Amino acid sequence: MLKGFFHVPEPVNEPILSYAPGSRERKLLQQALQTAMAQEADIPMYIGGREVRTDDRVSLHPPHRHKHLLGHYHRGSRKHITQAIDAALAAKSHWENLPWEQRAAVFLKAADLIAGPFRYKLNAATMLGQSKNAFQAEIDSACEIVDFLRFNVKYMAEIYAQQPPISPRGTWNRLEQRPLEGFVFALTPFNFTAIAGNLPTSAALMGNVVVWKPADTQIYSANVLMEVFREAGIPDGVINLIYVDGPTAGDVIFQHPDFAGIHFTGSTGVFQTIWKTIGENIQRYRSYPRIVGETGGKDFIVVHHSADPKAAATAIVRGAFEYQGQKCSAASRVYAPQSLWPALRELIVNDVRSFNVGPVEDFSNFINAVIDEKSFDKLAAYLDRAKQDADAEIIVGGTCDKTEGYYIQPTVIVAKRPDYVTMCEELFGPILTVYVYDDADWENTLQLIDQTSIYALTGAVIAQDRYAIDQATHALRHAAGNFYINDKCTGAVVGQQPFGGARGSGTNDKAGSMINLLRWVSPRTIKETFDPPTDYRYPFMDTE
């Protein structure tokens, strides 16, 4: 074992490339897209370092060109879940006993691989598999995952450096951060490749072994992530990637005595079911499992009458419609003052009408397809309802078409009631609902925002009046785990805005911070006495 107090490289946020016409990165990304479109990928599971293929092959298609075949993945069964758990547990001893700087080096290398030779391949996979435009892919599957990997190494070193401040003469007090006993289950979503990469690697970095199940609609880019991790030197069995249906995975994993924790991003309903299942099986486990989850949001932007209308409109359209509103942080409800609404309405409608909608290969398109037909049908049903509802008015958009791809036109609904269904329920698509309030009802509107939704993920206030900003910041302190002033409610950056919410939005363990990594270790206090007493008697017992 090497000897030394090692300092990790100081992380900085990965620069965002522009992909402007004529740029080198634009040419390389277009080449990566062409290469991926010309091939049919054969995507195995990865269990104990082995590529595992089955007779159950499932096709993968771009959401924006659902007739095009990207390839197939091999769906696993119950036995593959058990194999993945066994492989993880077999790898556990060697991995957790590996010096921390060696674990760090694996993930620092992975970051450099993504920032360099794998950047365009991973971005292209995200664009094609999840229908993200070039910019949305760049900030996700290049910059954010690189930031997660680099900053997490720094946070790990800081955690290990935290030691008891006092060791009285003759003693030495130490604190060890142990990996959890057992394995961690990472259950990851479709909408961010960075989240899919961070959930298994953050736990693995701290010495844990992982069984990773991505969303089916993210498997195409998950495969590239696994290629990166293997190239970076992740030992066999440390991260095991499986493609199985959720209920079967839960049935096996949540009954296993060595289940030590779950790292989850997904729907509130699924997370609540997971929590309930863990509780029902609590007597089975070697230790109490860590439950870390980031779930849904019904994220808000509240505009004060002092706001700059152009700044408000830009925050609204970017916050609501980037990546088709399929961010858990996306703005889906807006509260606009009556005095500014005419100007805001014109700006928003003009912006939305200017959007180009189409496939990701055409870089002029700002809006692409929603993730799959199930999502399309759900969103279309809400639009049909709004068209016929006297309490709603669609002022722009409202159409949809799934002939070539799952396209929902960006839509703005004006609700006549603050409790209208699209003001309250999470839709996860390019549908924004606005409620117009009387300027004099500012304080009541803040209470309304706080009480409308079960969620508390992100929110924003747009105002020039500092007293109004202070009021909103205080009144909405429990309504959003990430709160923005004069900005859109999306775009959290690792190392700058740790991300997560409370209430129905999750456990608020803040991805991209030390807070999250602390959930994947179990501290042990060690006290060493150099000259121990040899007589049990204390001075107070003397009789003279």
Side-chain angles (χ1 to χ4, degrees):
M1 183 179 295
L2 300 177
K3 305 296 188 293
F5 294 105
F6 303 112
H7 294 285
V8 301
E10 195 66 30
V12 295
N13 293 115
E14 177 68 15
I16 301 171
L17 302 184
S18 71
Y19 297 92
S23 65
R24 174 178 177 271
E25 65 262 21
R26 187 184 182 99
K27 180 180 179 180
L28 291 172
L29 182 57
Q30 288 173 331
Q31 290 175 350
L33 288 166
Q34 292 169 2
T35 299
M37 290 285 284
Q39 299 173 344
E40 288 187 14
D42 179 55
I43 299 176
M45 295 180 287
Y46 298 87
I47 301 174
R50 296 182 301 111
E51 296 185 3
V52 177
R53 292 173 170 83
T54 69
D55 294 330
D56 189 358
R57 298 171 74 243
V58 182
S59 60
L60 292 167
H61 306 268
H64 50 276
R65 295 187 188 275
H66 53 60
K67 295 176 184 177
H68 179 84
L69 179 64
L70 289 172
H72 297 84
Y73 70 87
H74 292 260
R75 179 151 45 204
S77 63
R78 193 180 188 93
K79 73 176 183 179
H80 297 107
I81 305 167
T82 300
Q83 289 173 2
I85 294 171
D86 291 344
L89 294 175
K92 181 173 175 56
S93 178
H94 287 301
W95 179 245
E96 71 175 25
N97 289 316
L98 191 69
W100 69 266
E101 73 273 10
Q102 303 294 344
R103 297 199 310 269
V106 170
F107 295 110
L108 290 173
K109 182 175 181 178
D112 277 10
L113 290 173
I114 295 171
F118 280 86
R119 190 184 203 108
Y120 306 106
K121 182 175 184 177
L122 187 55
N123 277 353
T126 300
M127 292 172 71
L128 294 175
Q130 293 138 264
S131 200
K132 289 198 172 189
N133 63 38
F135 179 74
Q136 292 298 312
E138 171 71 7
I139 61 176
D140 168 19
S141 49
C143 298
E144 188 171 26
I145 183 57
V146 167
D147 287 351
F148 273 134
L149 293 167
R150 290 175 177 160
F151 278 87
N152 280 349
V153 167
K154 175 67 170 178
Y155 297 142
M156 176 184 67
E158 291 175 351
I159 288 170
Y160 289 156
Q162 293 176 3
Q163 294 296 314
I166 299 173
S167 290
R169 185 182 298 275
T171 65
W172 185 12
N173 293 318
R174 306 194 289 275
L175 191 68
E176 176 194 14
Q177 299 287 358
R178 303 166 298 178
L180 306 181
E181 284 195 280
F183 68 93
V184 173
F185 180 34
L187 188 54
T188 64
F190 80 84
N191 58 335
F192 280 93
T193 300
I195 297 175
N198 180 53
L199 268 56
T201 59
S202 56
L205 176 65
M206 304 309 291
N208 297 285
V209 289
V210 182
V211 175
W212 171 25
K213 177 192 139 35
D216 291 351
T217 41
Q218 194 266 322
I219 287 173
Y220 191 64
S221 58
N223 179 63
V224 181
L225 282 173
M226 197 65 187
E227 185 180 350
V228 171
F229 299 154
R230 284 156 63 89
E231 179 72 17
I234 192 80
D236 294 348
V238 172
I239 296 177
N240 303 275
L241 177 58
I242 58 174
Y243 318 130
V244 296
D245 72 87
T248 302
D251 189 48
V252 176
I253 287 171
F254 299 136
Q255 295 191 54
H256 200 287
D258 289 304
F259 169 65
I262 180 168
H263 207 184
F264 173 87
T265 296
S267 76
T268 299
V270 170
F271 190 54
Q272 290 176 349
T273 298
I274 289 170
W275 199 301
K276 179 181 178 182
T277 303
I278 292 171
E280 291 171 344
N281 288 300
I282 199 68
Q283 73 283 352
R284 296 177 181 268
Y285 306 131
R286 186 184 302 276
S287 57
Y288 293 109
R290 302 293 172 88
I291 306 175
V292 177
E294 189 261 297
T295 59
K298 190 64 184 173
D299 309 302
F300 62 85
I301 295 177
V302 56
V303 183
H304 186 257
H305 64 77
S306 67
D308 176 349
K310 289 184 179 179
T314 300
I316 289 166
V317 297
R318 282 186 168 182
F321 298 120
E322 287 183 329
Y323 190 44
Q324 298 78 261
Q326 295 175 124
K327 300 181 182 183
C328 45
S329 59
S332 60
R333 54 183 173 128
V334 167
Y335 299 81
Q338 183 68 55
S339 61
L340 286 189
W341 177 235
L344 272 177
R345 174 174 175 149
E346 182 179 3
L347 290 166
I348 292 169
V349 168
N350 288 342
D351 276 347
V352 173
R353 285 177 176 164
S354 74
F355 293 166
N356 288 336
V357 180
V360 300
E361 302 93 306
D362 181 348
F363 283 23
S364 69
N365 290 325
F366 182 64
I367 303 295
N368 312 113
V370 297
I371 192 63
D372 58 18
E373 188 170 21
K374 180 181 177 181
S375 176
F376 176 94
D377 290 344
K378 172 188 172 182
L379 295 167
Y382 278 103
L383 294 180
D384 289 341
R385 177 174 175 178
K387 291 173 185 176
Q388 300 179 23
D389 201 320
D391 289 324
E393 176 193 4
I394 294 177
I395 61 172
V396 66
T399 61
C400 49
D401 186 351
K402 61 180 177 181
T403 305
E404 298 294 331
Y406 302 117
Y407 291 109
I408 301 285
Q409 289 293 321
T411 299
V412 179
I413 299 170
V414 177
K416 297 180 182 179
R417 302 193 334 264
D419 61 349
Y420 183 69
V421 60
T422 59
M423 289 291 291
C424 303
E425 294 185 11
E426 184 185 36
L427 305 187
F428 223 64
I431 300 174
L432 172 71
T433 308
V434 179
Y435 175 70
V436 181
Y437 68 92
D438 290 335
D439 292 30
D441 286 339
W442 167 251
E443 292 186 19
N444 291 335
T445 300
L446 296 180
Q447 293 181 14
L448 177 67
I449 294 168
D450 183 57
Q451 296 168 5
T452 291
S453 171
I454 66 167
Y455 301 108
L457 191 53
T458 74
V461 58
I462 313 294
Q464 296 288 0
D465 184 324
R466 183 50 60 174
Y467 289 111
I469 292 171
D470 180 61
Q471 276 185 303
T473 304
H474 180 76
L476 300 172
R477 66 193 183 280
H478 294 299
N482 282 57
F483 188 70
Y484 298 82
I485 299 169
N486 289 319
D487 203 349
K488 58 188 173 68
C489 57
T490 63
V493 178
V494 178
Q496 299 184 34
Q497 300 98 25
F499 188 80
R503 293 183 179 170
S505 292
T507 57
N508 204 17
D509 286 298
K510 295 298 184 192
S513 77
M514 186 190 301
I515 299 167
N516 185 275
L517 295 190
L518 283 168
R519 299 302 309 276
W520 308 117
V521 288
S522 178
R524 179 173 69 148
T525 297
I526 301 171
K527 176 188 176 184
E528 182 173 354
T529 300
F530 299 125
D531 185 16
T534 57
D535 188 334
Y536 81 91
R537 297 171 181 84
Y538 292 95
F540 80 91
M541 299 171 66
D542 290 344
T543 58
E544 295 182 3

